[in-house]
Amino acid sequence: MIVFSIPFIWLLLFFLMPFALVLKISFSNAVIAIPPYQPVFTYINDTITLVLNLGNYLFLASDSLYVEAYWGSIKIATMATILCLLIGYPMAYAMARAPLQLQLVLLLLIMLPSWTSFLIRVYAWMGILSNQGLLNNFLLWLGVIKEPLRIMNTNIAVIIGIVYAYLPFMILPLYANLTKMDMSLIEAASDLGSRKINTFWRITLPLSKGGIIAGSMLVFIPAVGEFVIPELLGGPNTLMIGKVLWEEFFNNRDWPVASALAVVMLGLLIIPIIFFHRAQAKELEKNG
């Protein structure tokens, strides 16, 4: 009983209670005070009064800035997830087919960058992608370009940063899935005369669907709310919800609107999370 209760206590303390607090603030009004919002519950003359302000959510729907921020976050996160899959799948496949001793070395190389500070790694990309950075200097030296490319402070730089930062989250679930694959199926397909590309599309790819879904969710969900990468690598035209949340909380001091932003963002992320759990449940049923 104690073992099962620990995860629920953890979720209660570090997810449900903070979310309930944010949800409560999203229905309040902003005021110049500490904290900068009016209480939702008031107790006067033995009477508890509940006042819910829906104006924050209506304001988000009416202002195109927030709609564009949500759409920009989803678009950039989707593109980064697709690129992570295209890059990470061949890497995970090669790792799974490598000798066992080499697999441990390759796993270490994948996880090694994560031992360095995330902020330092993003700053390093600023030096690589700037007009006078390593990438432009290298392309100029090769003669591929005649003038520096403008990559820094664009959505392209943000996508590159997200792909670099979250690529291990795509590779590791794929690798775990591919290593459990029954190789006798591939051998049987080869014995029956199936070409390698046909075997991959008919056997390997469908059997690795669980790893693809898990890796995609692990990349997409945090990428939607990413703040550090858009702030450092993006420009003024880069609209992502994490950046807008920061500005509302700390620059505008409008906690109710910022809380409403966070609640809506969580509501949008619930859809892929439900999809992920359903896919995992089906995968467990098949394996069971």
Side-chain angles (χ1 to χ4, degrees):
M1 184 65 180
I2 298 176
V3 176
F4 289 103
S5 62
I6 290 176
F8 291 102
I9 294 173
W10 181 273
L11 287 174
L12 177 65
L13 292 177
F14 298 103
F15 176 74
L16 292 179
M17 290 181 64
F19 174 73
L21 179 61
V22 171
L23 182 64
K24 184 195 74 171
I25 296 174
S26 70
F27 288 109
S28 63
N29 293 301
V31 293
I32 302 176
I34 299 177
Y37 59 89
Q38 290 180 343
V40 175
F41 295 94
T42 57
Y43 181 75
I44 302 175
N45 296 329
D46 299 329
T47 303
I48 297 177
T49 304
L50 173 63
V51 179
L52 298 179
N53 176 29
L54 300 177
N56 298 317
Y57 292 95
L58 297 175
F59 177 68
L60 296 183
S62 62
D63 196 326
S64 61
L65 172 68
Y66 302 107
V67 177
E68 291 175 5
Y70 283 119
W71 172 242
S73 298
I74 294 173
K75 182 171 63 175
I76 290 175
T78 301
M79 294 175 65
T81 302
I82 293 172
L83 286 175
C84 281
L85 179 60
L86 294 177
I87 298 170
Y89 196 100
M91 295 176 67
Y93 186 87
M95 290 170 58
R97 298 296 175 263
L100 184 59
Q101 293 180 348
L102 185 57
Q103 288 183 25
L104 298 176
V105 176
L106 294 174
L107 274 174
L108 180 63
L109 292 175
I110 292 296
M111 294 184 292
L112 193 61
S114 301
W115 297 356
T116 309
S117 170
F118 180 77
L119 195 59
I120 293 175
R121 287 185 284 142
V122 177
Y123 270 116
W125 274 104
M126 295 175 66
I128 295 172
L129 300 177
S130 63
N131 291 343
Q132 302 300 324
L134 295 175
L135 179 60
N136 274 312
N137 286 333
F138 180 68
L139 294 176
L140 288 170
W141 178 73
L142 290 177
V144 178
I145 58 175
K146 295 182 179 180
E147 58 182 17
L149 298 174
R150 186 180 177 273
I151 305 176
M152 191 64 187
N153 298 327
T154 63
N155 289 345
I156 296 175
V158 175
I159 293 173
I160 292 173
I162 292 176
V163 170
Y164 166 76
Y166 293 105
L167 186 59
F169 294 96
M170 178 67 74
I171 294 175
L172 295 178
L174 285 170
Y175 166 77
N177 186 274
L178 290 170
T179 52
K180 297 178 182 178
M181 188 176 298
D182 188 359
M183 295 302 297
S184 62
L185 297 174
I186 299 177
E187 292 174 0
S190 178
D191 292 341
L192 292 172
S194 176
R195 293 179 299 174
K196 290 184 178 180
I197 186 67
N198 186 57
T199 302
F200 174 78
W201 285 109
R202 294 292 186 90
I203 299 176
T204 305
L205 191 63
L207 290 178
S208 60
K209 184 177 68 173
I212 293 173
I213 295 173
S216 299
M217 293 300 101
L218 289 175
V219 173
F220 178 81
I221 291 173
V224 170
E226 180 60 50
F227 165 71
V228 175
I229 295 174
E231 179 68 18
L232 297 180
L233 300 182
N237 295 327
T238 303
L239 272 179
M240 291 191 70
I241 201 64
K243 190 175 180 180
V244 176
L245 265 172
W246 172 273
E247 292 176 352
E248 290 293 345
F249 263 116
F250 297 101
N251 293 344
N252 299 339
R253 296 282 293 174
D254 195 339
W255 287 22
V257 169
S259 299
L261 276 169
V263 171
V264 173
M265 182 181 69
L266 183 61
L268 292 175
L269 291 179
I270 284 176
I271 298 173
I273 290 172
I274 293 174
F275 176 72
F276 170 67
H277 280 291
R278 286 184 177 178
Q280 289 292 96
K282 290 181 180 178
E283 193 73 18
L284 290 174
E285 289 178 1
K286 290 181 180 179
N287 295 334

